[in-house]
Structure formats: C-alpha cells, structure tokens
Amino acid sequence: MLDLLVFPRPAVSSLHIVNALKRRDFLCLWSGSLGASFAMNMQMIARGWLVYTMTSSAMDLAWVTLAFMVPQVFFSLWGGVLADRVHKRRILVAAQLLNCAATLFMATIIITENVTFWDFIWLGMFNGTVLAFSIPARHAFVPDLVPRRLIFTAMALHTTGMNFARILGPVIAGFLIAWVASGDTSSMRGVGIVYYVIAALYLVAAVTMLFVHSPGAPHPRQATSPLADLLEGVAYVRAHPPVFGLIMLSVVAFLFGMPLNTLLPAFNEDILGGGSDDLGLLMSAMGAGAIIGSLLLASAGDLRHKGVWLIATCFGWAAATAALGFTSALPFSMAVVAVFGWMSAWNMALNRGLIQSQVAMRMRGRVMSIDMMSHGLMPLGMIPLGFIADTFGVASALAVSGTLFAVAVAALKWFSPAVRGVGAPAVAMGATR
C-alpha cells in the first residue's frame, strides 16, 4: 500500500509545471481563467453576504444557488455541442464580455440601493447560462494547447489558478465590503463597489483571451445537426463505462460536497457569529488548502493509481464536510475548510484529467458538457439541506451532507462496475486523439 503514496521527485515535478507554463497559449488561457475565477469568488462572497443580510435565510441562499445552477442542467449539453462546432476562443471572449455587461448593471442597482432579492435570481440565471455555454469550451481547449503527457499537469494548474482566486478573492471582497461600509452591515455601497471590480475582472479575462494564438478550431467530424451531435455525445458516454463512472462520482460530489460553499455564510453568522471579514478568512482558508492540493497534483505529473486517489479524496472531502458541522471556533473551522479545499481540488482535477485523457478529441466539448450538466444537479442536494439548515441548524445540515456523500461514494464503489473501472488506461477504452 505504501507505493500508492509515492510522488515523483521534486526536480521532475517542477519540470512538469514549467513545461506547461512555457506554452504561451496555455499561459494566456490560464491567466484569463484566473481573472474570471477572481470575479466568481468575489461575487460569491458579495452575493452571499448581501443576500443573507437582506433575508437571514439559508433557504434563500439555496434559491440563489439554484438560479445559478439550473441553467447548467438545461444548457450545458448545448454548450458542449457549441464547443465542438465553433472556435473555442470566440466562445470564451464573448462569454466574459456578456458577464462584464450584466455585472456592471448589477453593480449600479446595488450601489443605488434599488436591488431586490429577485435581482440576484435573474443575474444568477444569466451567469449560469453564460457559464453553461462557455465552460465546456474552456476545458476542451486545454488539450489543444498542451501535449498529452502534460494534460494532468495542465488541468491541475487550471485548478490551482481557480483556488488561488479562492484565497485572495474572498479576502479582497470581504475586507473591501467591511472597509467601505465602516461596520454598517446594512450598507450596500461596499457590495456595489465589489461588483464594479468584478465587472473589470471579467473584462480583463476577455482581453487576455485575445492573446491566445490558437483559435481552438473544431476537430474533424461528420457533418451532422446540432441535435445529432448532442445525442452522439450522450451515446459516447454510455458506451464508455469508465467515463460514465467518472461523471457519476462528479454528480455525487456536487450533490453532497459542494453545498458547503452555499451554506458557509450561514455557518459563519449563525455558528461563529462572524462578519464579512471572517467569511473572507474561511473562504481563503478553503482556497489555501485547495491550492496546496492542486499544486501537489500538478507537480506529481503522471500520478500512479489515479482511480485509488480519486476514491480516497472523495471520502476525505466527505469527512471534512461532516466535520465542519462539529466546529464552533474560527481557527478550527478554518483548518477543516482547508482540508475540504485540499480534497475537493485534488478530486476535481483528477476527475477532469482522467476524462480529458480518455476521451476522443472531437468529443471533448460534449463529454465535458455532460460532466458540467451534472454540476447543475447540485440544488437537488442543496434544497433539502437548506431546509435542514433552517429547521435544525447549519451544523446539522453539514453533518448530514458529509454523511450522505460518504455513503453514496461507498455504494457506487460497491455496486457500480463503471465506478470500479475509473482510472482504467485510455488505450483499453479505445480513446483516440
């Protein structure tokens, strides 16, 4: 068993990261993703803080999350079709410009104190729709920019960038809100300014993508209709059990692992009695754990026993989710959410790296869209957990969430041949580039 825990030596590890970042187009894509990730993480804390201040309801936080996630269920598959039919760079530039325009409008109505709860609903639906049409292209673009041997490193670096934004984004947003509001928790001015900063970050992300030389042109395929392309993607996943198993594990993780992000503002206020700066510290601790985990994975390169590591990090993620329900002091809570960040980042990078390495290039956009659609199912877990939080307390909801996560992974591992086959060599699946 000890051989499962052996990583490559640091000299080799550093070379993997350097070789990936030396590729100019990937560096530009990574930089644009970093700007968008800062925007999303700052928006998460600003939105969560203002919504909970306005409503004092964990259930309302769940509804806002639902508005953001539901479009991913309805539109992600079409986003995958788009990624396999249109230049990926165009999709990403257009998506960031649309997010910039919508966020500017939202910032204006917040700072003028004309915002209502329903504005967060429509903006969430808009952001979720844009994300559904763009994220499959972003993930499918990575293998176009790096060689196959660097796919896991590139995906881990992509995750590292997102989690680096988790560290600084929430801190900047939380302390900016606290500083501008001067301790007045009912003031909307601080949140409005944060939304203006978010709009600027989306603009930077769009401009950065213009420096990518590769257009991300579609790979050759038979001329078919968009609907036929969509059905082909679904059939492809069904015909490749290890890919289906990876998506099933992703569904479970988002059903029972990701609700912690939505419940964190309620946990911070109800259990810790913290303010926006404390919430920023919690989310930054989560990001710190995530960036350590994803950097270790990036440096490991072609990690052995990937399927074993994937299942192990599922259980670690579940344990951290449940454990947070039993903490009531900020230092301990920060330590637990750091472990949560580590396990979740490692798990997601491994999952997506395995998918990217095992799927034919012409199918990557559609397969990644099916994976993303599974993320839109998160509200199916969030709604009952939000009810538990409002009825029995946030701590109970977190304990239930982590327990259900662990039980679901164990059941899939025991009963599903597809899940038992995750990590199978790509050649066994007939994957082609």
Side-chain angles (χ1 to χ4, degrees), residues 168-187:
L168 292 182
V171 169
I172 294 170
F175 282 105
L176 187 57
I177 293 170
W179 175 63
V180 174
S182 301
D184 180 5
T185 59
S186 64
S187 173

Side-chain angles (χ1 to χ4, degrees), residues 29-54:
L29 177 68
W30 182 82
S31 300
S33 299
L34 183 64
S37 295
F38 263 94
M40 289 182 64
N41 280 280
M42 291 178 69
Q43 185 171 352
M44 182 184 299
I45 194 165
R47 179 185 64 206
W49 173 253
L50 187 53
V51 168
Y52 201 70
T53 297
M54 291 168 62

